[in-house]
Amino acid sequence: MKIYADNAATTKLGRAALEAMLPVMEEEYGNPSSLYELGQRAKEILEKARAEIAAVINADPREIIITSGGSEADNQALLSAADRGRKTGRMHIVSTAFEHHAVLHTLAKLEREGFEVTLLPVHEDGLVRPAELSAAIRDDTCLVSVMYANNEIGTIQPIAEIGDICAARGVTFHTDAVQAVGHLPIDVRAQNICMLSASAHKFHGPKGVGFLYVKKGTPLINLIEGGAQESGRRAGTENVAAAVGMAASLKDSAAHMAENAERMRCIRDRLIKGLAAIPHSALNGDAEKRLPGNVNFCFEGIEGESLLLLLDDRGICASSGSACTSGSLDPSHVLLAIGRVHDVAHGSLRLTIGEDATEAEADYIVKNVTEVVEYLRSFSPIWRDLEAGKKPYIL
Ligand SMILES: *Cc1c(COP(=O)(O)O)cnc(C)c1O
């Protein structure tokens, strides 16, 4: 059996996106800035895609800027709010400890430039407390940035409540919604969101394309200078086919969202129930307020990396949620942020299922994870010490 359970890392290109893109790539090669018909047709196709994207999140098409993906959208949102803050003497930013690195590393850069950043705790359940967020906002706060749903543990933040607080205090609110767009219903007006980042390859669109929603009247700076594309807010000849693929996959995801989520939640909960039966294991993040496809566990006494390699041998693609894969030996900043100690955080497993996941696949995963965890523990010195009572179990 071959099971792809790493949809938070990226998703397979969907039929809807592929079929929408092919004719554009084959025929519509015009430059949308060109005045002759071929160019103007490309422009029309691009604007139709923009309108379709806007409709899904209840935005105006003029509020959608097409970017190279989620990282670029996050950078542009944060650097724009900071630029505005610098000009108005407001040099304080509120965010959370478990943001994606596209946000955290941008905040670190802003700190080096003199900004003060408050990172809110996300508690054991992986959730921000609106009251704590409210208390952290100061007169000189220029931006609040809280991710919609976490990419490792899947927890969904109280976005509408945070939006209300920010609106009442007159603070710009950005949300990295890369894991949420196409998977959860979003209404930027009802939820008082000023800026929102999204990425097509997280909802079965092509890679290398995403968008930034910017509420009308919110000032933006350009990361890329040049021509006047994207209303002068992002230079460079537009990738029309990619934008069309993104719009098609988003429209398709939105059309089937409720039924997909319902089915995925069943499979997710079947996985959680099965894996929770492994002794000295624990689910990471709230069991209810989490993405329909996200399962994240810690298993005491093992290394996440060994677990992944052995699961790969058995046809299962998963992730450890640890930064080891990127060459660092530090455990995941997300798991540390929810209070997991280093030893436990090292033994983590993230499974992010797709819309087509089946019960049989869930059962195959549970069986194999159970066997591999048992096998790894059988020669783990840490596990031996735990079993011998030399160290207390944490989980
Ligand atoms: C994947 C991801 C990003 C980065 O998006 P890219 O399009 O790969 O640049 C940012 N934030 C979150 C939460 C993500 O999951």
Side-chain angles (χ1 to χ4, degrees), residues 8 69-71 74 100 147 151 176 178-179 199 201-202:
S71 300
D74 282 340
H100 189 273
M147 73 197 315
N151 47 304
D176 174 342
V178 172
Q179 291 291 334
S199 177
H201 76 96
K202 302 290 174 79

Side-chain angles (χ1 to χ4, degrees), residues 21-30 38 41 45:
M21 285 165 77
L22 279 174
V24 180
M25 290 195 286
E26 277 175 341
E27 310 292 341
E28 305 294 347
Y29 53 86
L38 186 69
R41 232 175 29 226
I45 293 168

Side-chain angles (χ1 to χ4, degrees), residues 8-10 68-74 99-103 147-152 176-180 197-202 207-210 350:
T10 194
S68 67
S71 300
E72 185 188 330
D74 282 340
E99 296 295 314
H100 189 273
H101 284 130
V103 168
M147 73 197 315
Y148 205 116
N150 184 267
N151 47 304
E152 287 188 29
D176 174 342
V178 172
Q179 291 291 334
S197 310
S199 177
H201 76 96
K202 302 290 174 79
K207 294 177 193 15
V209 66
R350 179 186 73 181

